[in-house]
């Protein structure tokens, strides 16, 4: 028989439920209830039985599928440091996904941008550099225009690392296939079918595995692959006009002479405006009470006497495709007084070390449980 003492579990529950701070600021930062996001799908090329290009230089093997995945993971990690973006990978480890499966995942995630991440190869070992393919403008011209902007933004960051600039390119179908309306179709499946789904698709060719110099300078270590992924992320973020995540800070609310609540918070870098949220104490959801606040103060005049309110604020950034929201600030509280009463700001519970009461011994509960049979 094995005795399991649940004292620590009981104490943890007690601290969580009973000792929850009731002070001015206690709520964890979270997402605004009406936040909107731009969705980016990153596609690490090849995988599984499809290794892509492969070459050995100086005793080190370079397998494209592995390089692509490492770059994609670094790109995702960096992009997620920006506000207002959701990022998905078409594969997260070494397995094969069909071209159709890659685009279908992006479509199901309601992608705003699809970026396939690859490395190049040539029959000539002297060819090197980076390039980005984007959609032509013959069908759904906006996909072509947006794709070109995104491609140029990514290429700018890659060449800043020292990669030779092979340009931003389109490649039309070589077999005469056409889009609806008769215009020439794109050559690459993921670009063509992303366009059919209504969003731009890109293919980034970072470096040439067939070139010893590109491999040594840009592909030979995890840190170098991370730099490529971060460059991709910076290019995507610049195209989408994303801002780095930031959490606003709200000050203790005050009661104005007219009975309204004065709210104030610190200015956020790059925020175009703010949204203010309110809920009654212990309500699950916030409601937005002010949508386009350009100052760092707001007076809430729609309050009821005798009610305890929690407030939070988020910053809003005007992106290229969508407005991005920061996470919510920590909540601030105030109790609206009845007539003749003073306003109350909930305070922290007394520090147990400062208490003059004699602590009572904790009760423990023992539970007997049989060992699992061998």
């Amino acid at each position: 028989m094995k005795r399991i003492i649940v004292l620590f579990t009981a104490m943890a529950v007690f601290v969580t439920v009973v000792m929850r701070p009731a002070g001015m600021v206690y709520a964890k930062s979270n997402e605004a209830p009406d936040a909107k996001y731009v969705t980016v799908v990153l596609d690490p090329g090849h995988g599984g039985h499809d290794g892509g290009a492969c070459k050995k230089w100086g005793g080190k093997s370079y397998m494209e599928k592995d390089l692509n995945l490492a770059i994609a993971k670094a790109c995702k990690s960096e992009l997620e440091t920006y506000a207002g973006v959701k990022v998905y990978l078409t594969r997260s480890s070494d397995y094969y996904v069909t071209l159709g499966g890659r685009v279908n995942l992006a479509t199901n995630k309601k992608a705003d941008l699809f970026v396939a991440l690859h490395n190049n190869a040539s029959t000539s070992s002297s060819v090197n550099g980076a390039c980005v393919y984007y959609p032509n403008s013959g069908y759904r011209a906006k996909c072509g225009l947006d794709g070109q902007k995104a491609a140029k933004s990514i290429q700018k960051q890659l060449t800043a690392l020292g990669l030779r600039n092979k340009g931003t390119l389109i490649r039309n179908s070589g077999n005469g296939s056409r889009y609806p309306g008769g215009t020439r179709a794109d050559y690459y499946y993921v670009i063509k079918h992303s366009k059919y789904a209504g969003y731009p698709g890109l293919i980034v060719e970072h470096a040439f595995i067939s070139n010893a110099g590109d491999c040594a300078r840009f592909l030979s270590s995890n840190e170098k692959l991370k730099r490529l992924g971060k460059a991709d992320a910076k290019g995507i973020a610049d195209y989408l006009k994303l801002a780095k995540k930031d959490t606003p800070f709200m000050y203790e609310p005050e009661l104005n002479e007219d009975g309204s609540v004065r709210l104030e918070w610190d200015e956020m870098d790059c925020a175009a405006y703010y949204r203010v949220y309110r809920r009654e104490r212990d309500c699950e959801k916030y409601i937005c009470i002010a949508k386009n606040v350009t100052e760092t103060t707001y007076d809430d005049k729609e309050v009821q006497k005798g009610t305890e309110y929690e407030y939070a604020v988020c910053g809003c950034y005007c992106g290229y495709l969508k407005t991005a929201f920061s996470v919510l600030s920590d909540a601030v509280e105030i109790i609206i007084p009845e007539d003749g009463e003073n306003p109350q700001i909930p305070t922290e519970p007394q520090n147990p070390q400062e208490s003059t009461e004699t602590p009572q011994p904790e009760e423990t509960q023992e539970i007997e449980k049989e060992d699992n049979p061998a």
Side-chain angles (χ1 to χ4, degrees):
M1 303 290 288
K2 183 184 293 182
R3 291 175 176 268
I4 301 175
I5 308 300
V6 296
L7 170 61
F8 292 110
T9 302
M11 290 180 66
V13 172
F14 174 79
V15 171
T16 301
V17 176
V18 179
M19 300 299 289
R20 176 183 182 227
M24 180 192 74
V25 176
Y26 67 85
K28 293 182 178 179
S29 297
N30 50 28
E31 297 177 352
D34 49 357
K36 298 178 181 178
Y37 297 89
V38 63
T39 300
V40 176
V41 173
L42 302 176
D43 175 34
H46 308 286
H49 68 268
D50 178 9
C54 183
K55 187 72 175 178
K56 181 177 285 190
W57 295 105
K60 181 178 177 63
S61 294
Y62 296 86
M63 180 74 72
E64 186 188 356
K65 66 175 182 178
D66 299 328
L67 302 174
N68 297 344
L69 182 60
I71 293 169
K73 287 183 174 180
C75 181
K76 182 178 186 291
S77 179
E78 180 66 16
L79 266 181
E80 289 175 338
T81 66
Y82 290 84
V85 61
K86 289 189 180 293
V87 188
Y88 300 94
L89 297 176
T90 59
R91 66 180 181 95
S92 56
S93 60
D94 185 17
Y95 54 87
Y96 179 73
V97 182
T98 65
L99 296 178
R102 297 166 194 261
V103 177
N104 286 342
L105 183 146
T107 302
N108 291 337
K109 296 296 184 184
K110 302 185 186 312
D112 295 292
L113 181 67
F114 177 94
V115 184
L117 302 172
H118 285 253
N119 283 277
N120 222 331
S122 171
T123 55
S124 171
S125 61
S126 63
V127 179
N128 67 339
C131 66
V132 184
Y133 288 93
Y134 65 92
N136 67 32
S137 58
Y139 171 69
R140 293 192 167 173
K142 189 175 187 304
C143 282
L145 178 63
D146 287 345
Q148 183 183 41
K149 289 179 180 178
K152 287 183 176 181
S153 186
I154 294 171
Q155 184 71 357
K156 178 182 177 181
Q157 297 302 319
L158 292 176
T159 55
L161 295 179
L163 282 154
R164 178 170 172 260
N165 189 352
K166 291 182 65 65
T168 55
L169 311 167
I170 61 171
R171 184 175 178 182
N172 291 324
S173 170
N175 62 9
S177 63
R178 302 280 172 172
Y179 283 123
T183 59
R184 194 84 168 267
D186 286 284
Y187 175 84
Y188 292 109
Y189 182 98
V190 294
I191 292 179
K192 178 179 179 179
H193 287 267
S194 292
K195 184 186 283 188
Y196 276 134
Y199 49 86
L202 309 179
I203 299 176
V204 181
E205 297 282 5
H206 293 88
F208 276 78
I209 292 175
S210 52
N211 180 268
D214 270 5
C215 285
R217 292 181 63 196
F218 303 106
L219 305 176
S220 58
S221 71
N222 288 333
E223 285 305 311
K224 292 174 181 178
L225 296 175
K226 285 181 181 179
R227 284 199 291 269
L228 291 175
K230 288 183 176 181
D232 291 334
K234 180 67 163 59
I236 293 169
D238 286 352
Y239 156 68
L240 293 171
K241 296 183 180 178
L242 301 176
K244 286 283 190 173
K245 286 181 178 177
D246 190 11
T247 303
F249 176 80
M250 290 193 83
Y251 295 94
E252 182 177 297
E254 297 179 355
L255 194 68
N256 295 322
E257 290 185 1
D258 63 0
S260 63
V261 176
R262 166 58 61 97
L263 304 169
E264 185 176 357
W265 55 90
D266 283 340
E267 183 176 0
M268 299 178 67
D269 292 340
C270 303
Y273 58 93
Y274 304 91
R275 289 193 173 203
V276 181
Y277 299 87
R278 184 188 69 198
R279 66 185 177 190
E280 293 185 19
R281 170 76 177 200
D282 295 328
C283 286
E284 181 179 352
K285 294 183 179 180
Y286 281 106
I287 60 170
C288 181
I289 60 173
K291 293 185 176 181
N292 298 290
V293 181
T294 57
E295 304 295 332
T296 56
T297 59
Y298 179 76
D299 291 331
D300 181 13
K301 300 179 180 180
E302 303 296 325
V303 293
Q304 296 181 358
K305 296 177 181 179
T307 304
E308 183 175 350
Y309 291 107
E310 298 174 4
Y311 292 93
V313 66
C314 76
C316 301
Y317 311 95
C318 296
Y320 175 61
L321 299 180
K322 297 177 182 177
T323 298
F325 295 1
S326 75
V327 295
L328 289 178
S329 67
D330 286 343
V332 296
E333 300 177 346
I334 189 169
I335 300 175
I336 309 302
E338 300 285 359
D339 291 336
E341 296 179 347
N342 293 321
Q344 301 178 45
I345 302 296
T347 57
E348 296 282 352
Q350 186 180 23
N351 189 325
Q353 294 180 350
E354 299 174 356
S355 175
T356 58
E357 296 182 5
T358 302
Q360 299 298 316
E362 297 284 350
E363 292 186 4
T364 63
Q365 180 181 2
E366 296 183 354
I367 298 177
E368 294 185 350
K369 185 176 181 180
E370 293 185 2
D371 291 326
N372 292 327

